[in-house]
């Protein structure tokens, strides 16, 4: 098989890139190691910046997003038994939209199937070849049969554990990493949201976050230990612990119910530099990870894909590699802004086990400052709604 761009991975990055390339008349094939159902069973964050909404619209998935997405004009930060609202609309003129990543993935999958562009699910043993030549190849096995795709470019959209980043020789890539000494225990439940807006909680028992998927479905998180197991957290214990971390008004508003999904995720910051090797371009989680505290993962994937789709469109229109050559630097400039913000939000709101009394006082002083200072709130809001690109 021959195509212009072979895309590895059918997560949000690969699917969005595929759609944007289709719109530019660029042929592409997506190879995904899992089944479509498996990809749709993963529960992930669901908060998107206006820039991401714009890209999804361009990708042809406007309707359900605008029908079901919840527009949020602010968030609340809870500490010391009270809540401080950060008013995005007033401070930045912008808002964010709550729309689950699973729904985005489903919409992109459906849009792709109407274009007829191929997605090869359950492609095993995917391997990349000749990536420093002008004719790279991707080999894979499907239904027991070995096959090969010849292409002009490969987009590595295969997430943090994918193969794309790993085939780049060590001497050609530098990685930066921070692993946090706690995780998030996340619960999805068919219960009404605790509040109309997201509540991010700093509490001496640990961080908590009350988010939602709809007016009848909540997504809730609490900071937990890295060694905790799901079995340690029956539903009753989860709800009890969440209540202990909320202010009294929010705690009284909780409606409990059975969890539909429960999982523990570690928190990590990670960046690979450069995001390109020869004709292989990395995008999304394949190149970088942020802790979920600022909800930047999906939005960063979207800005990478925007830069990459533009650069590929320019190449096919003009034969110029100028934007392909600057892709990594452009994407990384935005990535590091989001890395800084996600690290800062994480640092501000969590209990770090090694913190001294001094560290805790400084953290509290920063929260007090945030509650008092409009410039401090503006800095948070500007980053949360998404820096321009
Ligand atoms: N061959 C083919 N596909 C692969 C391979 C491989 N060797 N390795 C991984 N994949 C697939 C995975 O099964 C997954 O479907 O690549 C896809 C990567 O998707 P994501 O992990 O969702 O990464 P990305 O599309 O970059 O999405 C970024 O998702 O993880 C969240 O927080 C993150 O919101 C962010 C967004
Ligand atoms: C979510 O709704 O899953 C969510 C929202 C905001 C975050 C992280 C996760 O910062």
């Amino acid at each position: 098989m021959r195509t212009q761009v072979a895309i590895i991975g059918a997560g949000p990055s690969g699917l969005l890139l595929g759609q944007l390339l289709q719109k530019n008349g660029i042929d592409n094939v997506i190879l995904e190691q899992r089944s479509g159902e498996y990809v749709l069973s993963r529960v992930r964050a669901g908060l998107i910046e206006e820039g991401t909404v714009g890209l999804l619209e361009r990708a042809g998935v406007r309707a359900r997003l605008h029908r079901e997405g919840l527009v949020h004009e602010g968030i609340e930060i809870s500490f010391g038994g009270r809540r401080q609202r950060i008013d995005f609309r007033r401070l930045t003129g912008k808002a964010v939209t709550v729309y689950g990543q699973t729904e985005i993935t489903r919409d992109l999958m459906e849009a792709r199937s109407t274009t007829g562009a191929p997605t090869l699910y359950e492609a095993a043993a995917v391997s990349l070849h000749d990536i420093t030549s002008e004719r790279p190849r991707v080999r894979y096995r499907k239904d027991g049969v070995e096959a090969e795709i010849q292409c002009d470019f490969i987009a590595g959209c295969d997430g943090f554990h994918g193969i794309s980043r790993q085939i780049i020789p060590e001497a050609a890539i530098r990685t930066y990493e921070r692993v946090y000494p706690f995780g998030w225990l996340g619960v999805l439940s068919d219960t009404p949201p605790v509040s109309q807006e997201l509540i991010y909680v700093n509490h001496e028992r640990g961080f908590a976050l009350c988010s939602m998927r709809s007016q009848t479905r909540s997504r809730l998180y609490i900071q937990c230990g890295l060694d905790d197991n799901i079995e340690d957290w029956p539903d009753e214990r989860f709800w009890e612990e969440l209540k202990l971390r909320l202010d009294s008004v929010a705690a009284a508003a909780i409606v409990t119910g059975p969890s539909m999904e429960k999982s523990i995720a570690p928190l990590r910051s990670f960046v690979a530099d450069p995001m390109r090797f020869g004709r292989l371009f990395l995008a999304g989680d394949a190149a970088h990870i942020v802790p979920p505290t600022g909800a930047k993962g999906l939005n960063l994937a979207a800005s990478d894909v925007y830069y990459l789709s533009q650069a590929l469109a320019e190449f096919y229109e003009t034969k110029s590699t100028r934007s392909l050559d600057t892709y990594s630097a452009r994407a990384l400039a935005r990535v590091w802004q989001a890395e800084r913000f996600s690290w800062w939000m994480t640092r501000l709101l969590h209990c770090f086990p090694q913190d001294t009394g001094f560290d805790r006082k400084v953290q509290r002083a920063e929260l007090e400052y945030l509650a008092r200072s409009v410039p401090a709130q503006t800095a948070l809001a500007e980053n949360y709604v998404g820096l321009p690109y």
Side-chain angles (χ1 to χ4, degrees), residues 7-16 30-35 38-39 42 44-46 101 105 120-127 140 156-164 283-290 292 295-302 304-305:
I7 301 172
I8 317 299
S13 301
L15 287 166
L16 180 60
I30 301 183
L31 279 164
E32 165 61 51
Q33 68 180 1
R34 305 285 192 165
S35 66
Y38 181 91
V39 169
R42 294 187 292 227
R44 280 161 171 185
Q101 191 170 308
T105 309
L120 306 175
Y121 285 100
E122 295 177 271
V126 174
S127 60
Y140 64 99
C157 300
D158 48 352
F160 184 64
H161 300 287
I163 44 136
S164 299
D285 279 16
H288 41 73
I289 296 288
V290 284
K296 288 289 164 233
L298 174 64
N299 294 297
L300 270 190
D304 289 353
V305 163

Side-chain angles (χ1 to χ4, degrees), residues 246-271:
L246 298 181
D247 63 273
S248 53
V249 176
I254 285 191
V255 179
T256 63
S259 63
M260 304 157 59
E261 195 266 355
K262 197 188 284 166
S263 52
I264 293 180
L267 270 69
R268 182 195 301 273
S269 299
F270 176 89
V271 180

Side-chain angles (χ1 to χ4, degrees), residues 12-13 16 44-59 61-75 88-89 92-108 198 200 211-213 221 292-303 334 341 381-387 389:
S13 301
L16 180 60
R44 280 161 171 185
L47 203 133
I48 53 183
E49 301 168 357
E50 286 182 3
T52 307
V53 172
L55 286 173
L56 290 168
E57 288 173 346
R58 253 196 243 187
V61 293
R62 158 194 293 267
R64 198 160 72 98
L65 167 62
H66 285 293
R67 210 169 48 241
E68 295 177 18
L70 305 172
V71 174
H72 281 220
E73 302 198 334
I75 54 168
F88 297 157
R89 188 65 85 192
T92 68
K94 293 185 180 161
V96 293
T97 300
V98 172
Y99 188 65
Q101 191 170 308
T102 315
E103 307 314 314
I104 293 173
T105 309
R106 191 190 308 280
D107 293 349
L108 287 168
L198 270 65
Y200 286 84
S211 181
M212 67 207 66
R213 289 291 173 271
Y221 302 92
T293 325
K296 288 289 164 233
L298 174 64
N299 294 297
L300 270 190
S303 55
R334 192 166 194 277
F341 176 65
E382 189 177 40
N383 283 276
Y384 198 100
V385 300
L387 296 175
Y389 54 97

